Amino acid sequence: MSQIIDVAHLNYRYPQQSADDLTLKDISFSVADGEWVAIVGHNGSGKSTLAKNINGLLAPVSGTVTVDGQVLSEKTVWDIRKKIGMVFQNPDNQFVGATVEDDVAFSLENQGVPRDEMLTRVHDALVQVNMAEFATREPARLSGGQKQRVALAGMIAARPRILILDEATSMLDPQGRYEVLQTIQQMKINSDLTVLSITHDIDEAASANRVLVVNDGRLVEEGQPADIFKHGPALIKMGLDMPYAERLKAALKRQGVKVPADYLTEKGMADWLWQLISNK
Amino acid sequence: MMNKLIFGRYIPGKSVIHHMDPRAKLLLSFYFIGIIFIANNWQTYVALFVFTLLAIKLSGVKWSFFINGVKPLIWLILFTVILQVLFSGSGGHVYFKWGIITISQLGLVNGIYIFCRFVLIIFMSTLLTLTTPPLELSDAIEYILMPLKVVHFPVYEVALMLSIALRFVPTLMDETEKIMNAQRARGVDFGEGNIFQQMRAIVPLLIPLFVSSFNRAEDLATAMEARGYQGGEGRSKFRILKWQARDSWATVSFVALTIILVVLRA
């Protein structure tokens, strides 16, 4: 598999920061084509800054970002943005259009797509996220989850290679979060999409192929979700919730039950409990 | 509070007038306000009223909306009318005279005409806003401003600003409500005390609203840029307006009205 995103020795500092105080310190990683990578870390660890550096919303102090073979620079930034779709945290503040269909069409308008094609692409995208019947609604009459699904439809219509979710589900209720994640899974099946999701949500991290842990502007750990979830209570420090199975394990440990050190899914945990009881 | 406001409200419907091109509606409404001043006798006013009432009938919107549209302005109208009646000097039969105050036939007739003008203008503009969604109005304004591009007027930018502003009106209303309630929960009394106390009470509402608007603007700008917005040039348009037969007919009817007015004019 080829690398679609390659970040090398990235340093970033906000203009108001002093020279030795960096928000991102020497970050290097790469993402394979079609991979789903979750970036986790506590608040203020630099995750969002990292995402904005990848599509050129912020320019790094040093280091390079290469997206799909193109090195990010002032010349290539608009080409790169065409390849990257980004969904942000607040569903209200990223809704540009006056109605659902206008919002979905916004990226297409920016790319100068002819109107006939725009109509079909907007409609198809809305059907995919299950929002076709809301096409002419105003954002004020939609729920948070619906607005995020519209934002995703905007991405589907624009057909990016990479989707960056910047805490896209953090302001939603569990139902809305589930719906949005389902939609993204579906998008990934329908098109060969690379997903980079920044999240505190354990389910979102669990559906990733790989998890990157950022702490204080540094990339401190990298591994399969199962490897990361093994950390148990230390997960809270990383800005993640503990999976249900881990919480159960921690509670059992306090009761003096010997629990396996490896990460178990909920099903794995249930199997292990059955075994434990039947062995007694 | 905001729900009582008729001006700028839109009542969804399926009438001919609802389906008209917003450009036609906007331009014809302005045109109508212009030709009201052609009228100068009772026949012409009757013609204008018949025309307006027909248009209202066609729109299928309830009469009460139009009456409610006039209501907030009724004191202004009556004030103007009374001034006109009392101080327009002698002309025709004089009914009453005391100092500089004269009630004459001419004064009374002028007062009635002014009343009619006000009501006609309000009816027509209410009809425009009730049958046209704000979004279509902003599209119409964009088209109408297009010729100004010649003098480097930023038409796209103004249109985008207008549509974003309209889109954020309900969002900011909700936010205002939320902040008001949050401040009330902390003991702020809104709308109580003398004028200075009331003004002071607005500050804890206004400043958070300002700050959050800046945050919203920042987020929105980031989101727009991330989605490839590079300014108005080179964009295609999703939303287009179509001039249809009914718009031409509406224009024809306005021209006919103008001719009738000119003929009936004294």
Side-chain angles (χ1 to χ4, degrees):
Chain A
M1 256 200 280
S2 58
Q3 306 297 335
I4 190 154
I5 303 176
D6 194 47
V7 176
H9 306 291
L10 183 80
N11 287 298
Y12 182 79
R13 159 174 78 232
Y14 282 98
Q16 62 265 33
Q17 283 177 312
S18 59
D20 52 342
D21 182 21
L22 291 163
T23 306
L24 296 178
K25 296 160 200 154
D26 195 34
I27 291 204
S28 300
F29 69 93
S30 48
V31 179
D33 205 353
E35 201 180 10
W36 181 319
V37 174
I39 301 176
V40 302
H42 61 79
N43 285 333
S45 58
K47 301 172 309 250
S48 297
T49 312
L50 177 59
K52 285 181 184 160
N53 269 288
I54 292 174
N55 76 345
L57 288 168
L58 298 173
V61 176
S62 63
T64 54
V65 176
T66 314
V67 178
D68 199 20
Q70 275 180 308
V71 178
L72 182 67
S73 69
E74 236 166 275
K75 263 191 214 151
T76 57
V77 67
W78 294 106
D79 276 341
I80 286 177
R81 277 184 200 160
K82 255 187 226 174
K83 291 177 190 162
I84 302 180
M86 208 159 167
V87 180
F88 296 91
Q89 180 174 22
N90 189 319
D92 249 323
N93 294 2
Q94 58 179 314
F95 207 109
V96 188
T99 65
V100 168
E101 49 184 11
D102 281 299
D103 192 62
V104 176
F106 184 72
S107 309
L108 303 180
E109 287 181 320
N110 290 337
Q111 291 174 19
V113 175
R115 186 165 184 273
D116 295 327
E117 195 188 333
M118 211 154 29
L119 285 175
T120 51
R121 270 163 79 167
V122 167
H123 180 76
D124 291 348
L126 283 173
V127 168
Q128 256 196 64
V129 299
N130 226 343
M131 288 289 290
E133 57 196 301
F134 298 97
T136 54
R137 285 271 186 104
E138 287 108 55
R141 292 167 61 207
L142 299 176
S143 72
Q146 286 173 329
K147 273 178 238 178
Q148 287 305 61
R149 263 151 62 203
V150 172
L152 282 176
M155 300 303 129
I156 294 175
R159 297 178 188 159
R161 302 275 316 273
I162 303 158
L163 184 65
I164 299 181
L165 307 165
D166 189 354
E167 297 189 38
T169 59
S170 67
M171 289 178 84
L172 305 179
D173 58 12
Q175 174 69 27
R177 192 174 293 187
Y178 175 76
E179 282 173 4
V180 167
L181 284 181
Q182 285 298 102
T183 311
I184 297 165
Q185 305 269 21
Q186 198 57 45
M187 267 174 89
K188 240 181 104 46
I189 295 167
N190 292 352
S191 58
D192 186 30
L193 193 69
T194 308
V195 179
L196 202 62
S197 78
I198 292 169
T199 185
H200 293 288
D201 182 45
I202 195 75
D203 295 328
E204 213 175 308
S207 46
N209 303 117
R210 195 147 56 95
V211 179
L212 306 179
V213 184
V214 179
N215 189 17
D216 199 21
R218 283 182 201 284
L219 198 62
V220 290
E221 216 181 324
E222 174 173 357
Q224 307 267 313
D227 296 334
I228 303 291
F229 293 163
K230 267 202 310 230
H231 293 306
L235 285 170
I236 308 275
K237 269 200 204 119
M238 294 178 185
L240 266 179
D241 220 357
M242 276 166 68
Y244 177 70
E246 283 299 320
R247 287 208 306 266
L248 183 62
K249 253 164 52 179
L252 286 172
K253 212 170 176 180
R254 278 200 297 275
Q255 300 291 327
V257 181
K258 272 191 75 174
V259 289
D262 281 350
Y263 169 72
L264 294 173
T265 57
E266 278 180 36
K267 181 158 185 316
M269 194 71 192
D271 289 344
W272 175 78
L273 279 172
W274 280 118
Q275 261 177 23
L276 184 77
I277 294 165
S278 52
N279 284 348
K280 267 187 185 168
Chain B
M1 178 178 80
M2 300 300 180
N3 290 336
K4 283 184 196 148
L5 211 67
I6 292 295
F7 185 74
R9 272 239 336 246
Y10 165 65
I11 310 289
K14 290 197 173 355
S15 72
V16 186
I17 297 202
H18 278 91
H19 285 142
M20 264 175 72
D21 189 311
R23 285 170 297 180
K25 278 192 274 191
L26 189 66
L27 288 176
L28 290 177
S29 304
F30 280 115
Y31 180 71
F32 183 79
I33 290 170
I35 60 173
I36 281 176
F37 294 96
I38 297 178
N40 65 352
N41 58 14
W42 67 268
Q43 291 98 328
T44 46
Y45 277 105
V46 168
L48 281 171
F49 261 104
V50 168
F51 188 83
T52 311
L53 297 185
L54 269 177
I56 291 176
K57 188 83 199 142
L58 263 180
S59 75
V61 178
K62 273 194 246 138
W63 296 100
S64 57
F65 282 112
F66 294 90
I67 308 294
N68 287 337
V70 176
K71 263 186 193 161
L73 292 169
I74 196 73
W75 293 113
L76 178 73
I77 299 172
L78 286 182
F79 180 70
T80 322
V81 168
I82 288 167
L83 279 188
Q84 185 73 27
V85 169
L86 294 184
F87 298 107
S88 63
S90 54
H93 185 75
V94 176
Y95 301 107
F96 177 81
K97 194 169 171 62
W98 182 75
I100 53 161
I101 296 173
T102 320
I103 298 181
S104 66
Q105 196 187 0
L106 180 77
L108 279 177
V109 169
N110 270 339
I112 292 168
Y113 283 173
I114 283 181
F115 183 81
C116 291
R117 266 182 217 165
F118 266 114
V119 170
L120 283 169
I121 291 174
I122 295 168
F123 273 14
M124 212 29 128
S125 47
T126 313
L127 184 67
L128 172 72
T129 56
L130 286 181
T131 59
T132 319
L135 188 63
E136 284 189 16
L137 270 184
S138 82
D139 286 339
I141 292 170
E142 181 180 355
Y143 269 94
I144 290 167
L145 291 181
M146 215 50 104
L148 289 180
K149 266 188 72 173
V150 182
V151 291
H152 299 290
F153 183 79
V155 178
Y156 294 117
E157 280 73 13
V158 168
L160 185 77
M161 255 159 55
L162 208 63
S163 85
I164 289 177
L166 285 171
R167 172 243 167 286
F168 272 99
V169 167
T171 313
L172 287 178
M173 293 268 237
D174 283 351
E175 175 130 6
T176 311
E177 189 82 30
K178 233 183 257 169
I179 297 174
M180 270 177 106
N181 285 337
Q183 299 289 22
R184 271 199 197 112
R186 288 162 177 75
V188 177
D189 281 329
F190 288 107
E192 271 176 43
N194 63 34
I195 185 115
F196 287 106
Q197 286 167 325
Q198 284 196 29
M199 273 159 67
R200 289 248 309 269
I202 296 287
V203 175
L205 170 66
L206 230 47
I207 290 179
L209 202 58
F210 240 92
V211 173
S212 96
S213 300
F214 277 112
N215 289 336
R216 275 185 202 283
E218 174 95 45
D219 279 0
L220 187 72
T222 312
M224 282 172 68
E225 221 181 303
R227 287 164 74 178
Y229 180 76
Q230 298 182 65
E233 298 304 324
R235 293 188 82 213
S236 51
K237 278 177 75 69
F238 177 70
R239 189 174 277 285
I240 54 161
L241 298 174
K242 273 205 199 92
W243 188 276
Q244 285 159 307
R246 57 171 83 94
D247 303 302
S248 306
W249 283 115
T251 314
V252 167
S253 68
F254 271 82
V255 171
L257 175 71
T258 316
I259 294 168
I260 293 171
L261 286 181
V262 170
V263 169
L264 289 179
R265 201 179 137 94

